[in-house]
Amino acid sequence: MTRLVVVSNRVAPIDEGKQAAGGLAVAVLSALKKSGGIWFGWSGEVVATPPGDPELTEAGRLTYATLHLTRRDFEEYYNGFANSTLWPLFHYRLGLTNFSRRTCEGYERVNALFARKLAPLLHSEDMIWVHDYHLIPMAEELRLMGHGQRMGFFLHTPFPSPEILVALPNHGKLMRGLCAYDVVGFHTEVDLRCFANYIHYEAGGRIEDRGPGRGIIVEAYGRRLLARAFPISIDTDSLTALAQSAANARQTERLRESLVGRDLIIGVDRLDYSKGLPQRFEAFHCLLETYPANRGHVSFMQIAPPSRTDVPEYQAIRKELEASSGHTNGRFAEFDWVPIRYLNKSFTRRTLAGFFRVSRIGLVTPLRDGMNLVAKEYVACQDPEDPGVLVLSRFAGAAQELSAALIVNPYDVEGVAEALQRGLSMPLEERRERYHANMEVLRTHDIAKWRDDFVGSLTAAPYDA
Ligand code: ADQ
């Protein structure tokens, strides 16, 4: 049987029992268990001397292969080109995009290193599935070494419009690398269109449309490949069951008691400038200013564990949010009510599921997001009898599917405040209708479908004329 080899910057926690394992880890693990295989990536450790062979850990039919990075590689590849160049650029934030040839070379060097360290572990019949913007050049590196296996790539971020992408000095080389795969997957049709436009207008390639939802065949840089939208999703049924079981858990009870009958608006995001948190805090401030009846009756809880703390832009946004929440709390708090509860920490999936269930509104307002799984998780965790309302940014990939949410423009702070007011006063019947419409989507498009669609497309490669 064909083995699957998954390559991602980080591998999921090897202890599968860990509740922190997210949707992606669950999907990849289930695919790997089905076919047996390898999960290859960075160990998360930074070391003084260049790494030797990957460390192998066996878990049934699955092998984890992890590699340490040197400080220089970590700075140039991870903090540098991946998170200070590609991440902001792919999220349409040209102003935050730093480019240097030094970090770009570091990125290419680590991709070549990953390919060299992976190569001895590969069999000729393997299928290789590479994840995310950190590792775009992997396939090209492997092909240069003579590997002819089927290789697929999935991009977890948005794919930017070509007008944005061409600001990257090495965009041509990066896109040539992307076309070394047999299958390239994006979250949405919008991302796919941006990619097709790049291929057509910038790379002078050919596009063949396979019909609605079936992707396009791309001919460019001397290669032929399938590019398609594969919207990632969640393990809907098990999350719904988890939320049900967490409905009366101790933490959920404690949260409910602390609210003393007030409504809760919840936000859960990695602390990242793409998530629109300053605008979101402002929108809540605006809600209290514009609709004073909410004062003392509605609280907003934002859970935002810090991420990428070595990158200066992430330190800056943290400071900004501390000031903003302090400002709103100073302006409106009463001796028995605090408007914003702002928490820089992580919770288990079960605790979050319980928190989602008691929240009247799930507020998900990224300025750009590939998909945004929190939006889907919030819906799946609701009580069908008394569901809350999802307020969702039009710039999250999830908005393409969850059209029964209240869709907002996160830059329009007053508009978001209006949507919050509408959500808070929405009649039960309308809440149920919207919930059922969104759940319909999540039941048919869950994480297993994402995995099967992608692996199925890769199995069908190559896409010869
Ligand atoms: P992220 O930018 O990390 O993912 P998201 O899709 O929302 O964003 O996934 C975050 C995950 O972490 C969710 O499962 C969420 O429940 C969990 N999480 C967040 N805060 C947490 C906390 N405090 N405690 C515990 N768990 C927490 C990237 C892209 C997205 C894309 C995903 C998957 O940026 O656009 O949807 O990958 O492809």
Side-chain angles (χ1 to χ4, degrees), residues 122-134:
L122 293 176
H123 298 169
S124 58
E125 292 305 310
D126 287 346
M127 283 197 309
I128 303 163
W129 186 6
V130 179
H131 289 264
D132 231 358
Y133 60 100
H134 313 84

Side-chain angles (χ1 to χ4, degrees), residues 382-399:
Q382 295 310 297
D383 175 358
E385 296 305 314
D386 185 21
V389 177
L390 175 65
V391 175
L392 178 60
S393 162
R394 59 170 294 165
F395 301 118

Side-chain angles (χ1 to χ4, degrees), residues 12-31:
I14 289 173
D15 172 8
E16 285 175 44
K18 273 198 183 162
Q19 292 195 344
L24 171 65
V26 171
V28 167
L29 278 171
S30 67

Side-chain angles (χ1 to χ4, degrees), residues 20 22-24 87 91 132 154-158 187 232 268-270 272 274-275 303-305 308 345-349 352 356 369-375 377:
L24 171 65
W87 176 270
H91 287 84
D132 231 358
F154 187 79
L155 183 67
H156 290 265
T157 67
H187 282 305
I232 201 169
V268 175
D269 310 76
R270 270 187 313 100
D272 192 297
S274 65
K275 304 293 182 182
I303 297 174
R308 303 173 195 169
K345 61 190 281 194
S346 286
F347 290 93
T348 64
R349 295 188 70 67
L352 274 188
F356 284 145
D369 219 331
M371 176 54 67
N372 196 297
L373 292 175
V374 170
E377 290 165 358

Side-chain angles (χ1 to χ4, degrees), residues 197-217:
N197 284 342
Y198 182 92
I199 294 296
H200 180 75
Y201 293 108
E202 280 295 325
R206 280 195 51 223
I207 308 282
E208 214 177 281
D209 199 333
R210 299 174 85 214
R214 301 187 56 232
I216 57 176
I217 298 290

Side-chain angles (χ1 to χ4, degrees), residues 143 151 176 178-184 195 199 206-210 216-227 460-465:
R143 301 237 184 265
M151 298 184 203
R176 189 189 69 208
L178 190 56
C179 291
Y181 291 90
D182 299 296
V183 177
V184 172
F195 176 65
I199 294 296
R206 280 195 51 223
I207 308 282
E208 214 177 281
D209 199 333
R210 299 174 85 214
I216 57 176
I217 298 290
V218 170
E219 275 182 16
Y221 306 102
R223 299 220 7 114
R224 196 177 153 88
L225 57 139
L226 170 73
Y463 289 86
D464 293 333

